[in-house]
Amino acid sequence: MAALEAQKLSTAEETEVQQWITTSERLKASPADASILDKLNTHLTSRATLLGSKPSKADIAIYESLASTVKSWTAEQRTGQQGHPHIVRHLDFVQNSGLFGLKISDEDKIKVDPEEVLYVKPPTDAKAEKERLKKEKAAAAAAAAGGETTLVDRTKAVAAAVVEKAVEAKDAVAAAAGVGEAKPKKEKKEKAPKPQKAPAVTTPPSPHLIDLRVGHILKAIKHPEADSLYVSTIAMGDKPGTDDTEEYEGQVCRTVCSGLNGLVPLEEMQGRKVVVVANLKPVKMRGIKSCAMVLAASPRLKEGEVDDHKGPVELVTPPADAKAGERVCFDGWRGEPEGVLNPKKKIWETFQPGFTTTENLEVAFDGSAVEAAGKAETGKLTTASGGTCTVKTLKGATVR
């Protein structure tokens, strides 16, 4: 653990660590999510740790989220053709390496049999691959050279020459007969070059691309298949017929799963206003499709500290007069959000580390914490009318 605490990380690496911690929280809530597991397994294909070779608290977070699940994986799930062998290898490294300081007893460790490998990707035939590349290269060279003039091309050239000679003879006869002066050949007009299309305007990444709205929880229940989750029915201003919505008590609502069971009393979830992230890609959490995320604050971890997920946690509260569906933005970063955030662009993962709370218990975005923000300012999370979103007691917290 001492080596881990002494590890110096760059700003980009710190951001990546926070992104993996966010992923670990999603895995803790939904450890069987195939899309996340596949991406994690691919990422670890050529890496010893999540950062490549540097150990970090992100490796510990992933271990804590997946260890209990991987213990129960079958051999097919571990090393079969559709399995996740690199995840197994990574977790085995974390639980046994002294770099991470996890004092796990042998009986609590994931049992890994290095001889139990059900599928090995067949090697590429080097000779056949070399021959294929050679043929592709030859074909490309022939295409570039253009080859010899084809019969069609030669025929067109001859026909054009005959027509030109006929025109010249006709002009000469007309001049000799005194019919008139031979008409000068028309010069071909050079075609004006087509105007170049202006390059597409790309919107630079910014916190305003995240669709933050006021949500009204109409009801909340415990998830029937996950002890750590609540399932809430939340009105957030969607129009009737919007994908992934349903009508409840005359309002258009979304179903939202949140890992708040045991951290926020269920009675505090009922009938209250919250702030939601409304444009994350929906994800199934233990069989229930979650179509948004509820924002909450928790103490910011110190360097080397591991999140034990014991809280405290406080929900972000919008202004009392705010209506369900009303947008909230960070001052200094207002703009139109994207429809659905593209997971590949990692907009949420990039800017979430700047979400925090001030000494006055106001939710804000700290631009100095995120290089992509473009400015080192701090902007409060407010409605269009100027009302500010707050928390009860947590100062300098992280908000996610």
Side-chain angles (χ1 to χ4, degrees):
M1 180 63 77
L4 184 60
E5 291 175 349
Q7 181 74 65
K8 298 295 183 182
L9 301 179
S10 66
T11 302
E13 288 171 335
E14 287 285 4
T15 300
E16 186 175 356
V17 166
Q18 290 301 321
Q19 292 169 357
W20 283 116
I21 289 175
T22 300
T23 299
S24 74
E25 292 171 352
R26 293 175 63 193
L27 281 171
K28 189 172 185 180
S30 185
D33 191 314
S35 64
I36 303 178
L37 292 174
D38 289 345
K39 290 177 182 176
L40 177 59
N41 190 69
T42 300
H43 180 80
L44 290 168
T45 299
S46 58
R47 296 172 172 86
T49 70
L50 292 171
L51 293 181
S53 59
K54 289 184 180 180
S56 71
K57 57 188 177 183
D59 297 294
I60 297 175
I62 289 292
Y63 179 88
E64 291 176 339
S65 296
L66 285 179
S68 60
T69 300
V70 174
K71 278 182 183 179
S72 62
W73 277 1
T74 63
E76 185 66 32
Q77 288 175 301
R78 293 187 178 201
T79 61
Q81 187 168 358
Q82 303 301 321
H84 300 95
H86 302 296
I87 293 178
V88 177
R89 170 182 54 76
H90 175 254
L91 298 191
D92 190 42
F93 173 57
V94 173
Q95 69 182 0
N96 288 299
S97 173
L99 292 172
F100 301 97
L102 296 181
K103 297 179 180 178
I104 305 172
S105 64
D106 290 340
E107 62 181 18
D108 290 332
K109 287 182 179 179
I110 302 168
K111 303 298 185 292
V112 179
D113 182 358
E115 301 300 321
E116 186 181 55
V117 179
L118 301 187
Y119 175 77
V120 177
K121 187 176 180 180
T124 303
D125 186 333
K127 186 175 180 181
E129 182 68 9
K130 185 177 180 180
E131 188 65 26
R132 182 184 67 80
L133 292 174
K134 185 177 178 181
K135 289 180 180 179
E136 288 184 358
K137 187 176 180 180
E148 296 182 359
T149 307
T150 63
L151 176 62
V152 174
D153 292 335
R154 291 199 299 271
T155 303
K156 287 182 179 179
V158 172
V162 171
V163 171
E164 187 174 352
K165 291 291 185 182
V167 172
E168 290 176 356
K170 182 180 177 182
D171 291 343
V173 171
V179 174
E181 295 182 0
K183 293 181 181 178
K185 290 191 293 182
K186 292 182 179 179
E187 293 183 1
K188 291 183 178 180
K189 293 183 179 179
E190 292 186 5
K191 292 183 179 180
K194 293 182 179 180
Q196 296 293 321
K197 290 184 179 180
V201 178
T202 57
T203 303
S206 169
H208 78 254
L209 297 177
I210 301 170
D211 188 359
L212 300 175
R213 304 186 200 171
V214 175
H216 184 195
I217 301 178
L218 301 183
K219 73 169 180 178
I221 61 172
K222 294 181 179 179
H223 193 299
E225 301 295 334
D227 293 339
S228 64
L229 297 179
Y230 287 142
V231 181
S232 302
T233 301
I234 306 179
M236 54 186 78
D238 292 307
K239 295 180 180 179
T242 301
D243 290 344
D244 300 315
T245 62
E246 60 182 352
E247 188 171 319
Y248 179 78
E249 294 184 352
Q251 298 190 57
V252 179
C253 300
R254 299 192 201 182
T255 298
V256 180
C257 297
S258 53
L260 299 172
N261 192 357
L263 299 171
V264 177
L266 184 58
E267 54 269 22
E268 286 189 20
M269 299 286 292
Q270 310 294 339
R272 67 164 293 155
K273 298 282 182 66
V274 290
V275 173
V276 295
V277 183
N279 61 343
L280 294 175
K281 187 176 180 180
V283 60
K284 273 199 173 183
M285 302 178 78
R286 293 293 182 91
I288 295 179
K289 192 174 187 180
S290 180
C291 303
M293 184 171 70
V294 177
L295 275 191
S298 58
R300 189 173 295 276
L301 297 178
K302 297 177 182 178
E303 184 65 30
E305 189 177 359
V306 179
D307 190 356
D308 58 8
H309 304 289
K310 293 182 180 178
V313 170
E314 295 178 358
L315 296 172
V316 173
T317 302
D321 59 350
K323 305 295 183 185
E326 185 174 354
R327 278 211 69 205
V328 290
C329 298
F330 293 107
D331 292 340
W333 285 277
R334 292 189 176 275
E336 287 301 311
E338 286 196 353
V340 176
L341 292 177
N342 184 342
K344 294 181 180 179
K345 294 182 180 179
K346 296 188 178 296
I347 298 297
W348 167 253
E349 292 83 353
T350 297
F351 293 102
Q352 182 278 322
F355 287 28
T356 187
T357 57
T358 68
E359 288 297 310
N360 296 323
L361 303 177
E362 298 164 324
V363 178
F365 178 75
D366 180 5
S368 65
V370 180
E371 186 176 351
K375 50 188 176 182
E377 300 176 3
T378 299
K380 299 176 186 177
L381 185 61
T382 62
T383 61
S385 59
T388 303
C389 299
T390 59
V391 293
K392 286 182 179 179
T393 65
L394 294 176
K395 301 177 181 180
T398 185
V399 177
R400 57 194 174 201

